[in-house]
């Protein structure tokens, strides 16, 4: 990199001294310019949000241009991110770097034209932002979130689910596991191999509510673990028994698929055993299945908003913070839902909280 820079400076000096003419200068400058953006990042301007057009902003960062400073504010981002080797980036640049990195599968070198920084700086700044968001906001997903699961809200969610034809009048949300394929690891392949999906993967357990938000997230766990095993490890039943009640004291429940055990706070479809299901049981399963589909919509929202999570060749155990990145993307997906809504909130006609309320 330095040799190209020194050569260009020498050519410009020779041109000023009339040693070479204009045509020779242009020809020699072209010969002494790297075609790899990783080595000529200095030719690009540093990031400036004001210079980006609205359509570009929405496509690259998923948020409207005017909403990115709002997001940085509610997330409580520091004015600057300072890396271990003293690289400094302001909060908007750091946030946009993370959003751009996760929006589509890309290499850090692909970000150079947008941010005008070398690859090591792009990597370190992005990781600083990921660590900050996980450390300061991860609890909103990994612990029981009273902001969006208070007793009055649980009753509101249950009423919305019931209004869509669900037989249960106390079901406030839906629980399910999602399999996220990863690159085949060198070691412990059998541990992360999911026989049902036939991929090497990590798994996450999500609890979603009718406002379109991910209310709770557990993981990652190894891809071979059963959903019932994740439920046990997450202690979700303990949280439900402690917190899941209406303002009048009624037991509130979540609904899962046949992989989950039946409990007062956890309901599942009727299972066909020695006897065939009655028409009433089949109708119950059918009506609950219609509303439970919303959990799959929200899984899709996360992946569609952050396509890098769906590119398994980049997701390598030991080289990528896969679990932390998924949690951070889920947090940002909740912010997107708070600002713009989603299919789930529209289906149940439940407005999500404002982004200020969610991150308060």
């Amino acid at each position: 990199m330095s040799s190209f820079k020194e050569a260009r400076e020498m050519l410009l000096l020779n041109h000023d001294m009339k040693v070479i003419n204009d045509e020779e200068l242009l020809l020699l400058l072209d010969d002494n310019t790297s075609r790899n953006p990783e080595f000529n990042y200095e030719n690009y301007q540093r990031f400036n949000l004001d210079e980006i057009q609205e359509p570009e902003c929405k496509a690259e960062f998923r948020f409207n241009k005017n909403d990115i400073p709002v997001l940085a504010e509610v997330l409580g981002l520091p004015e600057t991110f300072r890396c271990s080797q003293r690289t400094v980036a302001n909060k908007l640049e750091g946030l946009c770097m993370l959003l751009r990195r996760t929006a589509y599968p890309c290499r850090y070198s692909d970000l150079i034209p947008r941010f005008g920084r070398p690859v090591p700086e792009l990597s370190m700044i992005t990781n600083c932002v990921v660590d900050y968001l996980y450390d300061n906001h991860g609890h909103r997903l990994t612990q029981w979130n009273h902001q969006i699961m208070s007793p009055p809200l649980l009753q509101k969610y249950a009423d919305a689910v019931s209004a869509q034809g669900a037989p249960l009048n106390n079901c406030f949300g839906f629980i399910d596991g999602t399999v996220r394929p990863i690159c085949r690891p060198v070691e412990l392949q059998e541990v992360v191999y999911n026989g049902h999906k036939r991929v090497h993967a990590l798994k996450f357990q999500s609890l979603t509510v009718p406002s379109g938000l991910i209310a709770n997230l557990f993981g990652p766990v190894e891809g071979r673990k059963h959903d019932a095993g994740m439920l046990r490890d997450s202690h979700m039943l303990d949280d439900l028994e402690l917190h899941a009640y209406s303002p009048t004291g009624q037991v509130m429940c979540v609904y899962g698929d046949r992989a989950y055990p039946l409990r007062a706070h956890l309901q599942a479809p009727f299972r066909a055993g020695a006897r065939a299901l009655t028409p009433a049981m089949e109708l119950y399963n059918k009506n609950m299945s219609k509303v439970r589909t919303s959990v799959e919509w929200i899984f899709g929202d996360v992946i569609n908003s952050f396509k890098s999570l769906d590119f398994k060749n980049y997701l390598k155990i030991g080289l990528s913070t896969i679990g932390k990145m998924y949690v951070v993307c889920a947090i940002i997906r909740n912010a997107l839902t708070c600002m713009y809504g989603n299919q789930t909130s529209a289906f149940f006609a439940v407005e999500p909280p404002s982004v200020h309320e969610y991150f308060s």
Side-chain angles (χ1 to χ4, degrees):
M1 179 183 65
S2 58
S3 60
F4 280 122
K5 182 178 179 181
E6 292 171 359
R8 291 196 299 270
E9 291 175 349
M10 184 62 67
L11 289 172
L12 292 172
L13 179 62
N14 282 309
H15 180 262
D16 289 340
M17 298 173 62
K18 308 300 182 183
V19 176
I20 57 177
N21 58 31
D22 293 345
E23 293 182 358
E24 291 172 327
L25 173 65
L26 294 175
L27 180 62
L28 292 171
L29 281 176
D30 185 68
D31 288 339
N32 286 276
T33 299
S34 172
R35 298 295 184 271
N36 188 341
E38 185 171 348
F39 294 104
N40 64 351
Y41 66 90
E42 293 175 338
N43 293 347
Y44 299 100
Q45 293 183 349
R46 284 293 178 90
F47 176 80
N48 186 344
L49 183 61
D50 294 334
E51 296 179 355
I52 302 177
Q53 299 297 317
E54 183 67 47
E56 290 180 294
C57 196
K58 186 74 173 181
E60 293 188 22
F61 309 132
R62 301 306 190 198
F63 288 86
N64 293 332
K65 185 174 180 178
N66 292 334
D67 290 333
I68 291 179
V70 175
L71 179 63
E73 176 190 350
V74 298
L75 291 173
L77 299 183
E79 289 300 318
T80 58
F81 289 98
R82 186 176 297 272
C83 303
S84 57
Q85 43 65 274
R86 299 182 181 179
T87 292
V88 177
N90 67 59
K91 62 182 180 182
L92 291 183
E93 182 183 17
L95 177 60
C96 289
M97 208 174 285
L98 170 63
L99 295 175
R100 177 63 185 87
R101 169 67 171 167
T102 55
Y104 295 99
C106 64
R107 300 165 297 182
Y108 280 112
S109 58
D110 298 328
L111 275 58
I112 291 176
R114 173 58 74 195
F115 296 97
R117 288 181 180 270
V119 167
E121 289 187 12
L122 292 168
S123 176
M124 287 185 287
I125 294 169
T126 301
N127 288 331
C128 280
V129 181
V130 170
D131 290 341
Y132 180 89
L133 293 181
Y134 185 84
D135 294 340
N136 290 273
H137 298 286
H139 66 277
R140 301 183 190 278
L141 294 181
T142 58
Q143 301 174 18
W144 186 272
N145 191 337
H146 295 277
Q147 295 283 108
I148 59 175
M149 290 192 290
S150 64
L153 285 175
L154 297 186
Q155 185 63 63
K156 180 180 179 180
Y157 300 151
D159 293 342
V161 172
S162 180
Q164 286 297 325
L168 292 173
N169 64 2
N170 65 333
C171 175
F172 72 88
F174 307 95
I175 188 170
D176 200 6
T178 182
V179 176
R180 297 309 324 145
I182 61 172
C183 184
R184 184 174 65 181
V186 177
E187 300 178 350
L188 302 176
Q189 295 183 22
E190 69 281 359
V191 174
V192 297
Y193 185 75
N194 183 278
H196 178 62
K197 300 291 186 178
R198 298 186 178 181
V199 292
H200 293 88
L202 297 178
K203 293 186 69 175
F204 296 85
Q205 173 187 277
S206 292
L207 169 62
T208 65
V209 291
S211 59
L213 297 176
I214 301 171
N216 188 271
L217 181 66
F218 174 74
V221 299
E222 59 272 24
R224 70 178 182 181
K225 186 174 284 290
H226 193 268
D227 285 356
M230 278 200 298
L231 177 69
R232 181 188 62 248
D233 294 344
S234 68
H235 301 289
M236 173 54 65
L237 281 177
D238 296 336
D239 287 337
L240 290 169
E241 291 174 0
L242 185 63
H243 302 293
Y245 298 92
S246 73
T248 60
Q250 180 188 8
V251 170
M252 308 299 282
C253 71
V254 295
Y255 188 82
D257 58 25
R258 290 180 174 84
Y260 294 99
L262 282 174
R263 299 290 187 273
H265 292 277
L266 175 59
Q267 296 296 303
F270 286 104
R271 299 170 174 84
R275 297 181 180 179
L277 297 180
T278 66
M281 292 176 178
E282 291 180 349
L283 181 61
Y284 172 92
N285 287 354
K286 179 180 179 181
N287 289 335
M288 288 305 300
S289 177
K290 289 179 180 178
V291 291
R292 199 194 75 86
T293 306
S294 62
V295 71
E296 303 293 344
W297 298 342
I298 296 179
F299 287 150
D301 287 340
V302 176
I303 299 304
N304 290 332
S305 297
F306 305 103
K307 292 288 189 180
S308 63
L309 297 175
D310 204 29
F311 191 64
K312 67 178 184 180
N313 288 343
Y314 279 177
L315 305 178
K316 300 179 181 180
I317 294 179
L319 296 178
S320 304
T321 54
I322 306 170
K324 184 181 290 187
M325 186 65 75
Y326 188 89
V327 173
V328 168
C329 287
I331 293 170
I332 301 175
R333 178 57 243 186
N334 275 355
L336 278 165
T337 301
C338 290
M339 288 185 174
Y340 312 121
N342 62 6
Q343 183 180 0
T344 301
S345 62
F347 176 75
F348 289 108
V350 177
E351 286 291 327
S354 71
V355 71
H356 290 89
E357 291 171 341
Y358 180 74
F359 288 102
S360 63

